[in-house]
Structure formats: C-alpha cells, structure tokens
Amino acid sequence: MRHALRLAEQAGREGEVPVGAVLVKGDKIIGEGWNRPIQNNDPSAHAEMQALRAAGQNIGNYRLCDTTLYVTLEPCTMCAGAIIHARVARVVFGAYDPKTGAAGSVLNVLDSEVHNHTVEISGGVLQQECAQLLTTFFRARRGKVSE
C-alpha cells in the first residue's frame, strides 16, 4: 500500500486525482498505475485500470488470477467490473469512497453473488494517509488553505 501511496502522489503532482494502484502476484509487482484520465483524455484511465492493463501486458494474459490489487481509494463500479473480469483474487484499499465506492460503501460489486467471480475485499488499510492525500488535493484545487 505504501508503494500505491507513492504512485498516488505522482498522480497529484501531475494534476490528477491522487489515486495509485499496485497489482501483486506472489511477492512480485506485475502492474502499477496512477490516475491519468486528464493526461490521457481517457475517462477509463483510473489507477486500477492502468495497473490491470500493465499487468496484462507484463504477463501476456488478460486473466490476472491469484493476484492482489492494492489501491489507495475504494474502486468505482467501472474498476470493480474490470477487476472481476480480470479474475483478481483480492482487493486491498485505503480510503472509503462514500460517493462512488463499489466495494461496500455505495455498492458492493466486487462481492456480489450475481457474478461468477467474487473478490476478497479488505478496506481501510492506511486509511488516514490515503484519505489525507485526497483531502489535501481537493482543498488545494478549491483554493482552500489546508489544516
């Protein structure tokens, strides 16, 4: 998760919402990414999507079985769908997203019985640090002095 936080900081430096993601298989990072929808002119360029794409290219397969995705913010529905289709085994996220979270906050797409694949979910890992990064970013964007 600490590596994902560093990637989130990179996104923030680039003017993107600071979210980072790392996909691990065993003890090896096979994909990583950070938010880049503005730079890429691509609404699907969320950190999770970037990490999944990189991992697929890295291992030469769109199925990412037996992997764990570490992400600094609870995945949205788009990312949750991609995580399911990729067959990611586990998602570990930092900050909860009370507006668009699809791992239990608003919806629970990842653990839904309607899919043929469910994902183990662990939320709130380094929650304070992940949430603070987002809060600081949005305060600065809105021109508010951070506390």
Side-chain angles (χ1 to χ4, degrees):
M1 186 61 81
R2 296 241 180 249
H3 186 64
L5 270 166
R6 286 190 294 277
L7 296 171
E9 291 167 352
Q10 176 64 33
R13 285 190 294 275
E14 294 177 5
E16 302 277 2
V17 174
V19 179
V22 178
L23 192 69
V24 175
K25 184 167 185 150
D27 60 354
K28 182 180 177 191
I29 293 173
I30 61 169
E32 62 182 38
W34 57 91
N35 272 1
R36 300 192 89 192
I38 298 167
Q39 287 189 345
N40 291 356
N41 297 308
D42 178 0
S44 71
H46 288 192
E48 302 95 321
M49 301 293 277
Q50 302 285 41
L52 295 174
R53 288 177 183 136
Q57 292 298 307
N58 187 24
I59 69 168
N61 195 333
Y62 73 106
R63 295 283 195 225
L64 305 170
C65 300
D66 303 316
T67 58
T68 298
L69 180 69
Y70 295 88
V71 60
T72 58
L73 180 65
E74 181 180 0
C76 69
T77 54
M78 173 184 67
C79 293
I83 289 163
I84 290 167
H85 288 292
R87 303 297 191 265
V88 171
R90 182 174 178 230
V91 170
V92 178
F93 68 87
Y96 288 86
D97 187 345
K99 293 183 180 179
T100 64
S105 288
V106 178
L107 300 169
N108 197 346
V109 174
L110 293 177
D111 193 27
S112 173
E113 293 179 6
V114 302
H115 301 295
N116 63 346
H117 177 73
T118 58
V119 180
E120 182 184 336
I121 305 164
S122 299
V125 175
L126 298 180
Q127 180 177 351
Q128 189 75 19
E129 292 162 80
C130 294
Q132 187 60 52
L133 190 60
L134 290 159
T135 299
T136 301
F137 175 82
F138 284 113
R139 280 187 180 149
R141 179 171 269 188
R142 293 180 185 117
K144 295 181 182 176
V145 177
S146 76
E147 299 174 0

